[in-house]
Amino acid sequence: MPARYRVALLPILLMLGAALPAAADDIALPREAQLGPRPFYLVDKMKDGPLKQQLAQCIGPFHRSDFSIGHRGAALQFPEHSREAYLAAARMGAGVIECDVTFTKNRQLVCRHSQCDLHTTTNILTVPDLAAKCTQGFSPADPAAGRKASAKCCTSDITLAEFKRLTAKMDGFNPAATTVEEFLSGTPRWRTDLYATSGTLMTHDESIALIKSLGAKFTPELKAAEVPMPFDGDYTQEKYATQMLAAYKAAGIPASDVFAQSFSLKDIVYWVKTEPDFAKQAVFLEERYEKDGLDPNRPETWKPSMQELKASGVAILGPPIYAMLALNDKGEIVPSAYAKAAKAAGLELIGWSLERDGPLHKGGGFYHRSVKAAIDRDGDTLTVLDVLAKQVGVRAMFSDWPATTTFYANCMGMK
């Protein structure tokens, strides 16, 4: 549209409360969060009771909330860490959006959940010259030998320029595949490939620019390297950790808008010493569930202790949902001993990840395993979220579909 017409239309558009038409390179975002039908579907599927009645009366308008964190963007239906997933998260009102950060062969930072997930999250296996650079090329399944289909392609196998040649797909693979095409067709049935055509991969710098333009905050996760460190001679873990936060400084992002994450306590302690402004709200992601068999009701499995974490400089702890929940004698979902101990030690909590188990009519999976006996319907997503918010007192929640957490936060008057 010619500039003179845009100017002429300005008074009319303002009078109507409309946003100016976007230029070709602008991002069109609604003034209010657009939630779609899912949050209301979840309310319809809840057990009858006061919470359902309260949420059923919540009709908006809905606004962005920092309680709502876009986990890998909006990974329930969009390829994770793609531009499209970040835009979807912002439009659903996520006040904070995540970029999992890893590095390429030439030490450039990009957004991927794992350093070595390109074979399941991108089309790399269909690009012959790049597939040839994978740590492990495609190997077909061999039922007679009991061998599943496999491949291993890492960001550290390719340069940034080569990374940018790829497109994003929904995470998944077919272990019974005998061809690359079959291998790539592994999206879980309860997700969708509808929005997975030519997803746009993001560098870390691009994610910062995009999320800034969307008016949201940032939660970058420093992913564990899957190659020996130092990498390529002198690229140490410390340089990697410093490089990630330096990007926010270079972009003029205040530390108060950044929730840096890591599953390594060493990374958090390093930031406490070298980047105290960022460390004030850095998130130590709970790693003990994997290596120590974390039991939310057995303090001997919480090593270091909550008090020791606090003393080391940890301000925010990020556990999986199951670690914060338990069942009481009546079979009701309540805060776990783990959650109570964390709060008693002065640690804030951010939980992960809502909407990641798929349909809950069979009790959910990993994320709900401590309360599985109390879950039998999709609507229990909101029941669990209510306990986490009101009884556990989480500061925010990661969600694969941020409309759900945005809806709840608005209905409960949370920021």
Side-chain angles (χ1 to χ4, degrees), residues 316-328:
I316 304 175
L317 184 60
I321 289 171
Y322 90 85
M324 295 182 284
L325 301 177
L327 297 177
N328 64 16

Side-chain angles (χ1 to χ4, degrees), residues 104-105 133-136 152-159 162:
T104 64
K105 186 175 183 179
K133 298 185 177 186
C134 289
T135 297
Q136 176 198 326
K152 185 176 182 180
C153 303
C154 308
T155 57
S156 50
D157 291 334
I158 58 177
T159 66
E162 291 168 334

Side-chain angles (χ1 to χ4, degrees), residues 224-239:
E226 295 188 40
V227 293
M229 299 291 275
F231 174 71
D232 194 27
D234 64 346
Y235 189 58
T236 64
Q237 182 70 20
E238 291 75 19
K239 287 182 178 180

